[in-house]
Amino acid sequence: MKKVVWIFVNIIAFGIPYIYARNKAKKSLTISNTELQVSNKVDIDVEELINTLGGKRNIVDTSTTISTLKINVRDNSTLTKEKFDKFKITGFLKNTNQVILVFGDNAQAINEKLIKKL
């Protein structure tokens, strides 16, 4: 009789929580994230960014991806990575007439503020 009680206690103590945890894990695996999480926080001075890019007259067009801000400029000869370090960028690339700045998940918010200032 003691053996039957011992088995019953083990099933209650370990079996029921195991089944509950397994079912909860299965449910969490089926949940999918359909919405992209981006930050709306703009922690840089957009006017200072425009001045660093050579002013409003030097900026032709801007576009953005999730983490990068792509700025087409008329003249990029004076633009260097050191000038953009004060904006806490994580990446810098300079093409023929384009500057690509990697800001992170707030690049879209920075682009919206930049477009409003232009």
Side-chain angles (χ1 to χ4, degrees):
M1 188 66 166
K2 288 183 180 181
K3 195 173 191 180
V4 172
V5 171
W6 178 251
I7 292 172
F8 183 70
V9 169
N10 281 329
I11 289 173
I12 291 174
F14 299 111
I16 294 173
Y18 170 75
I19 292 170
Y20 175 77
R22 186 180 66 190
N23 287 339
K24 191 154 181 93
K26 281 183 181 180
K27 286 180 183 176
S28 69
L29 288 175
T30 60
I31 297 172
S32 64
N33 187 4
T34 58
E35 195 172 304
L36 180 64
Q37 298 294 323
V38 294
S39 175
N40 293 326
K41 184 176 132 185
V42 178
D43 54 353
I44 66 165
D45 184 14
V46 178
E47 286 291 335
E48 190 174 350
L49 178 62
I50 292 171
N51 292 335
T52 305
L53 288 165
K56 293 179 181 180
R57 300 190 80 158
N58 195 33
I59 299 172
V60 176
D61 187 28
T62 65
S63 63
T64 186
T65 63
I66 294 172
S67 62
T68 61
L69 179 62
K70 299 175 183 178
I71 305 161
N72 294 327
V73 293
R74 298 185 202 290
D75 180 28
N76 69 352
S77 60
T78 60
L79 305 178
T80 61
K81 183 183 183 317
E82 290 75 29
K83 288 185 175 183
F84 293 98
D85 284 341
K86 59 187 165 191
F87 299 112
K88 299 177 185 173
I89 59 171
T90 57
F92 174 82
L93 180 65
K94 183 168 78 167
N95 291 333
T96 307
N97 284 331
Q98 187 179 50
V99 177
I100 300 173
L101 305 171
V102 180
F103 281 103
D105 63 349
N106 62 345
Q108 292 175 344
I110 293 171
N111 187 39
E112 289 173 9
K113 293 270 187 175
L114 186 63
I115 290 172
K116 287 180 184 177
K117 295 285 182 173
L118 295 176

